[in-house]
Amino acid sequence: MAEISALEFSEQLLALGYTVQGHTRLLPATMALIRERWGCQCLALFSAKGDQLFSTRCDAIQYCPDMVPESSEIKQTGQFFSIAISPDFFIICDQKPSPVFSSVWCRCFSDYLHQHQGKKAQIGPEQVSRMVMESIPTRVFWKNTDKFYAGANQAFLRDAGVTSEAELRSMTVNQLPWSENDCQAFSQLDDELLSGQSESVEYEASIQVNGKTQWIQGHKQLIRDHQGEISGILGTYHDITKRKKDEEKLKLLATAFESHEGIVIANSQGIILEMNAAFCEITGYRAEEIAGKTFQILHSGHQNQQFYKDMWQSIKERGRWEGEVWNKRKSGEIYPEWLTITAVNDEQGVATHYVGSFIDLSEIKAQQSKVRQAAIQDQLIAQVFQLTLQGSSIGHYLQRSLELILESQPWLMSVASVHLYQAQKTPQWQTALNLNLPGNSSIADKSEVAALLNRLLENRTPQTVISCRHCDSVPPHGHLLIPLQIEDQLIGAVILAIRAFDNHNPDDESLLLRLCNVLALGVSRRLTDDALIEAKEEAERANLAKSQFLSSMSHELRTPLNAILGFAQLMELEDLDETQLENTGEIIHAGRHLLELINEVLDLAKIEAGRLDLSIEPVPLNLVISECLSLTSPMAEKRQLTVSCDSEKLEDLWLRADRTRVKQIILNLLSNAVKYNNDGGSIRLSFSMPEYSLVRISVTDTGRGIPKEQHSDIFQPFHRLGAEATNIEGTGIGLVISQKLARSMNGDLNFSSEEGRGSCFWIDLPQHIPDHASEGKAEDDTL
Ligand code: ADP
């Protein structure tokens, strides 16, 4: 039964008690109330002596003296309950009354009986306050100064889970079912009061009642005796759980309302009542400017009447509409938003309010268009890059690229020119392209632009002419000059025409800069290609001249020299005296040396000119070696040199090389080993395979060796490393030629040497591995 009903009930009983005359009439009158509130059917009134004064439907009640209750107690006997009204009367009924009802009803009834039996009602202030205490929903309790409970109303006892005040009296707050924290907090409040710090305290807290959290708002105050001494604490509290829940709900709703979405509430006429901060931020209106206006204030004119008609029709039919709308901010700016309008209906289904929520889409749209823009820009750069990689001429390349650029940038006029700065040859600007300019005219002829072009040389950043008055045939315009640079080098400039006082986007200019960087690459590539072609042609021309010179030299030098040698040899056969014979011998000797020198110089020149004709073929190494040894052995014998050869290893070794040139190299190494050896020394020819299919031929001597500091000069033409000062004949280019020959046959030549101990020179040449079928034939050929 609701507690508020108890209050109501007591008021109604009191009213009945004072208006209805005679207990015989009062009882039936109160029965209706009691039946309704209390739920009992049988009710009888007895005097303390056991006389039944009145009963209703209580045939079932069989009175017995045991049924007489103690004062203010509810006594149960079988299925019946006896309730003492006063020392003189008690009632018996078939339902246990709620303590509130019984106490209120009994007191009302007792007062009435006393009044009508001629005794004046004895209602003291204590009874009244108890009555009030029990009739209100507020929980009341009081404690002594030791913080033990001294009393409480029934409402408090119920919360505390205690059945009687007597039970409560032995308890402090710590024995109550509140949580430990709450008990501590309540006890602290008591201490605060009892220490005299404050007379009363207000608090809010949550407690556990029957396993549920109950929010309470409480008040505690000191009880003072007549002398003003503190004698206890009076506490009251009431349940504010519902209020708390409502507050939380409101808080949640308020949070939802203050979201990033704009939210607006309008009445059924569309008049704006409420809006959140986001709405004001998006629309630019302050709350007071917009309240009382209709949604029309936001209309941008981008949607027609039909659009709004359809929208309201949908809200009417489905209670909701959502879609994209272009609205107008207070600043006049028109922006896209995603709008949802929901109708709020009353019980009859009639719309009382409309709630509109929307998201500003301008950021998203801007991002989308930026991404689209970037994709278009990348595509444009890719197209220009493609042109850059093609093999077209500079003029054609610039023309096509600029046409592409101008087509894609509507803020540019279709007039442009490109100028290249010829710093190396002639330090001046040269026009490489005039796009859509009549005749031979060039933008760069105009003094203003010409000055800016020169300024680009110092300041390599884009230059602007806001309004050009010089290009007569072009409508009002300005110019934008963008440098063409490769790394730090300025190679040219692109001059574009912009509409006069154009207010283009900085992004557009940075795109042009990127495009011009690609153009610079294309131009530079073409210039380099041209220079390379020119250099190659020049080299080829020089080579041809060298070959012609060499062939004529070969003829011009060798013919007279052979004639000299031939005549000298003829003279040798004449009858000459000793001196003449010696002189003729000198002529022949010097002539031969000169011929050898000429041959070697021509050989070297031929190799360097790339005119060496090699006939690469399988070469049987053992044959070449034996030929070389037999050619050098007279020289070696003359100096008493021992020549040894690792001949078993030679077996089956074939080279892939030019036979004559291999012989030339080995002879050069062997003759050096003889020339630069000590008399009586030795020479060893050995063979190895340092790598797969590579044959190494080593010539080791026990000669004077080569000092370390001269090692780097050994392959320099005409460097004889001091041998020129001796009587050892030589030209100083044998080793240079040998190394070049070895390399041109995919091999190499190198050496190691120690001064005073000897040297080892080796040639590496590719091995020929004969296949089975041809093996026999090759051997047959060579044997
Ligand atoms: P040259 O006609 O002078 O022998 P080379 O090109 O064959 O020309 O050799 C260059 C120089 O390298 C020689 O002048 C000599 O000083 C040195 N040289 C070459 N082979 C040997 C060697 N086996 N021992 C010592 N010195 C050598």
Side-chain angles (χ1 to χ4, degrees):
M1 236 169 280
E3 284 162 26
I4 194 71
S5 305
L7 187 62
E8 243 178 276
F9 176 58
S10 62
E11 279 168 3
Q12 287 174 12
L13 272 176
L14 279 167
L16 277 173
Y18 288 100
T19 51
V20 181
Q21 294 298 309
H23 67 263
T24 46
R25 285 174 60 203
L26 174 67
L27 279 173
T30 56
M31 266 314 287
L33 262 176
I34 291 164
R35 224 182 259 143
E36 187 191 329
R37 305 288 186 192
W38 189 334
C40 65
Q41 297 295 318
C42 308
L43 187 72
L45 176 67
F46 290 85
S47 73
K49 289 179 211 139
D51 301 328
Q52 184 174 314
L53 302 175
F54 176 78
S55 73
T56 173
R57 294 189 198 171
C58 60
D59 306 341
I61 300 175
Q62 297 297 316
Y63 169 76
C64 71
D66 284 353
M67 286 176 157
V68 180
E70 309 269 312
S71 67
S72 73
E73 287 283 327
I74 299 173
K75 185 171 184 182
Q76 187 171 4
T77 314
Q79 64 183 96
F80 295 105
F81 298 87
S82 329
I83 303 122
I85 293 171
S86 73
D88 303 321
F89 300 101
F90 67 93
I91 58 169
I92 295 178
C93 62
D94 61 352
Q95 287 289 320
K96 186 177 181 180
S98 111
V100 179
F101 290 159
S102 65
S103 100
V104 172
W105 186 80
C106 291
R107 276 168 215 287
C108 292
F109 202 66
S110 131
D111 291 348
Y112 174 80
L113 285 174
H114 283 291
Q115 208 179 8
H116 288 273
Q117 280 188 354
K119 291 179 193 169
K120 203 150 171 21
Q122 295 296 311
I123 308 176
E126 212 173 291
Q127 280 172 302
V128 172
S129 54
R130 170 60 75 168
M131 243 170 71
V132 171
M133 218 165 66
E134 297 301 352
S135 64
I136 56 173
T138 306
R139 281 67 157 175
V140 183
F141 59 88
W142 54 99
K143 297 176 175 184
N144 61 26
T145 49
D146 296 328
K147 299 198 274 184
F148 274 89
Y149 288 96
N153 70 353
Q154 290 292 328
F156 180 81
L157 292 181
R158 272 197 304 281
D159 277 2
V162 176
T163 47
S164 70
E165 273 188 276
E167 193 186 332
L168 183 71
R169 274 188 207 108
S170 61
M171 298 168 116
T172 65
V173 72
N174 292 327
Q175 277 86 51
L176 298 190
W178 322 151
S179 79
E180 206 175 297
N181 277 351
D182 292 335
C183 289
Q184 215 176 332
F186 293 141
S187 188
Q188 271 170 12
L189 286 177
D190 292 349
D191 291 340
E192 192 184 323
L193 291 167
L194 292 171
S195 68
Q197 279 178 48
S198 35
E199 200 62 24
S200 63
V201 285
E202 303 277 346
Y203 61 92
E204 275 191 12
S206 63
I207 54 172
Q208 293 296 313
V209 176
N210 298 327
K212 281 187 187 160
T213 302
Q214 185 180 93
W215 275 94
I216 59 169
Q217 187 176 47
H219 174 90
K220 279 183 176 181
Q221 74 173 77
L222 282 175
I223 305 170
R224 292 187 185 269
D225 61 15
H226 295 301
Q227 278 79 45
E229 290 297 314
I230 298 171
S231 62
I233 293 168
L234 173 68
T236 55
Y237 67 84
H238 58 271
D239 184 357
I240 56 163
T241 311
K242 187 170 181 307
R243 197 192 86 198
K244 274 273 172 193
K245 280 190 176 156
D246 289 349
E247 276 174 10
E248 255 166 47
K249 225 185 219 171
L250 273 176
K251 222 164 150 183
L252 268 174
L253 287 174
T255 316
F257 193 62
E258 286 312 328
S259 68
H260 291 302
E261 277 186 30
I263 301 177
V264 58
I265 301 171
N267 66 13
S268 54
Q269 276 82 50
I271 291 169
I272 296 171
L273 305 175
E274 287 289 341
M275 78 284 318
N276 68 355
F279 174 93
C280 295
E281 202 175 303
I282 296 170
T283 61
Y285 286 105
R286 290 199 309 277
E288 59 273 22
E289 289 174 320
I290 205 107
K293 305 277 179 353
T294 64
F295 286 127
Q296 271 184 350
I297 193 169
L298 302 173
H299 285 187
S300 63
H302 271 229
Q303 288 85 215
N304 59 18
Q305 285 299 320
Q306 190 57 42
F307 176 86
Y308 291 109
K309 241 184 182 171
D310 294 345
M311 172 198 273
W312 286 108
Q313 187 64 26
S314 158
I315 297 168
K316 222 175 183 181
E317 285 168 9
R318 288 184 281 279
R320 187 183 156 82
W321 179 88
E322 68 176 320
E324 198 178 305
V325 175
W326 288 84
N327 269 351
K328 191 167 71 184
R329 298 188 219 272
K330 187 186 171 189
S331 62
E333 186 195 342
I334 291 170
Y335 69 99
E337 64 179 34
W338 186 261
L339 173 66
T340 307
I341 299 180
T342 313
V344 181
N345 295 339
D346 63 11
E347 279 151 18
Q348 280 74 48
V350 178
T352 58
H353 294 88
Y354 297 105
V355 179
S357 63
F358 58 87
I359 307 165
D360 187 346
L361 297 177
S362 36
E363 276 278 300
I364 299 168
K365 293 242 171 197
Q367 282 299 334
Q368 281 173 348
S369 98
K370 244 188 190 165
V371 170
R372 250 197 319 269
Q373 202 61 30
I376 294 170
Q377 290 186 358
D378 287 349
Q379 198 187 354
L380 178 64
I381 291 174
Q383 282 174 319
V384 175
F385 207 76
Q386 212 173 358
L387 291 174
T388 303
L389 297 178
Q390 286 172 4
S392 51
S393 69
I394 287 189
H396 187 256
Y397 163 68
L398 288 174
Q399 169 109 14
R400 276 297 302 126
S401 304
L402 275 171
E403 276 169 3
L404 259 179
I405 294 169
L406 298 184
E407 262 168 39
S408 70
Q409 303 297 302
W411 59 283
L412 291 173
M413 297 170 85
S414 60
V415 172
S417 64
V418 181
H419 307 272
L420 299 182
Y421 190 65
Q422 314 272 326
Q424 252 99 53
K425 291 180 186 164
T426 42
Q428 64 184 29
W429 290 96
Q430 287 193 357
T431 305
L433 170 85
N434 277 321
L435 196 73
N436 298 341
L437 276 166
N440 282 331
S441 68
S442 159
I443 299 175
D445 296 343
K446 315 301 164 198
S447 54
E448 246 175 303
V449 180
L452 281 184
L453 265 182
N454 286 332
R455 203 199 287 172
L456 270 187
L457 293 167
E458 290 137 35
N459 184 1
R460 314 273 177 86
T461 52
Q463 310 283 322
T464 315
V465 178
I466 293 176
S467 171
C468 168
R469 291 176 298 278
H470 302 285
C471 313
D472 311 325
S473 52
V474 183
H477 66 283
H479 288 297
L480 184 62
L481 280 77
I482 301 178
L484 294 176
Q485 295 188 88
I486 286 290
E487 285 162 10
D488 278 345
Q489 199 195 339
L490 180 79
I491 62 162
V494 177
I495 307 180
L496 301 157
I498 50 179
R499 289 174 212 292
F501 308 109
D502 166 78
N503 192 11
H504 61 268
N505 194 321
D507 282 354
D508 294 333
E509 205 168 302
S510 71
L511 169 67
L512 281 182
L513 269 176
R514 286 167 70 199
L515 285 164
C516 285
N517 284 340
V518 180
L519 280 187
L521 261 180
V523 170
S524 144
R525 198 193 127 202
R526 280 161 179 79
L527 288 176
T528 320
D529 284 357
D530 288 354
L532 275 178
I533 291 167
E534 206 174 306
K536 195 174 157 226
E537 282 171 358
E538 207 170 295
E540 275 170 3
R541 275 197 300 275
N543 229 353
L544 194 70
K546 193 174 169 184
S547 306
Q548 282 164 353
F549 167 77
L550 285 177
S551 67
S552 58
M553 274 296 277
S554 147
H555 182 75
E556 297 302 323
L557 290 174
R558 275 190 249 215
T559 313
L561 194 56
N562 280 328
I564 293 168
L565 278 171
F567 281 112
Q569 278 161 347
L570 280 178
M571 271 171 72
E572 231 180 3
L573 299 175
E574 296 293 320
D575 192 13
L576 300 176
D577 61 29
E578 204 172 314
T579 321
Q580 285 168 328
L581 200 62
E582 210 173 289
N583 290 346
T584 318
E586 281 301 319
I587 293 171
I588 293 170
H589 184 80
R592 282 200 180 126
H593 180 72
L594 191 57
L595 188 62
E596 190 187 340
L597 184 66
I598 288 167
N599 283 339
E600 284 189 342
V601 167
L602 290 177
D603 228 7
L604 182 64
K606 244 186 191 172
I607 294 170
E608 282 180 347
R611 291 184 57 238
L612 186 71
D613 295 324
L614 292 171
S615 102
I616 304 292
E617 55 179 349
V619 179
L621 190 56
N622 56 354
L623 291 188
V624 176
I625 294 294
S626 65
E627 278 170 30
C628 291
L629 283 175
S630 63
L631 279 170
T632 44
S633 61
M635 279 170 71
E637 275 164 21
K638 235 187 220 171
R639 303 201 59 196
Q640 296 103 45
L641 299 174
T642 323
V643 181
S644 61
C645 177
D646 233 346
S647 45
E648 328 91 79
K649 287 218 181 129
L650 263 177
E651 288 299 310
D652 296 338
L653 266 184
W654 287 66
L655 303 175
R656 261 205 86 67
D658 180 305
R659 186 175 177 145
T660 320
R661 296 303 186 175
V662 172
K663 208 168 142 187
Q664 182 182 344
I665 298 169
I666 295 172
L667 273 176
N668 179 227
L669 297 187
L670 278 173
S671 67
N672 279 351
V674 173
K675 281 197 300 185
Y676 302 108
N677 217 323
N678 299 320
D679 288 340
S682 66
I683 298 169
R684 190 163 67 87
L685 259 164
S686 56
F687 311 94
S688 61
M689 294 191 62
E691 275 174 47
Y692 174 72
S693 78
L694 199 68
V695 178
R696 176 165 293 182
I697 304 148
S698 307
V699 181
T700 313
D701 65 61
T702 52
R704 58 182 192 163
I706 302 158
K708 214 169 179 78
E709 61 275 13
Q710 292 181 337
H711 281 198
S712 56
D713 293 334
I714 202 147
F715 296 111
Q716 296 299 322
F718 308 110
H719 275 242
R720 294 205 62 212
L721 318 180
E724 65 277 12
T726 64
N727 56 3
I728 306 171
E729 282 183 2
T731 56
I733 50 176
L735 282 177
V736 186
I737 293 173
S738 295
Q739 191 184 55
K740 285 186 192 292
L741 284 173
R743 287 182 178 171
S744 52
M745 291 186 288
N746 298 323
D748 203 357
L749 184 150
N750 222 320
F751 75 103
S752 66
S753 180
E754 212 180 315
E755 191 178 4
R757 294 182 69 96
S759 313
C760 173
F761 283 79
W762 66 81
I763 332 142
D764 287 340
L765 286 168
Q767 186 190 10
H768 169 73
I769 302 166
D771 62 57
H772 248 21
S774 58
E775 199 174 341
K777 189 178 177 292
E779 266 171 26
D780 289 349
D781 284 351
T782 49
L783 287 172

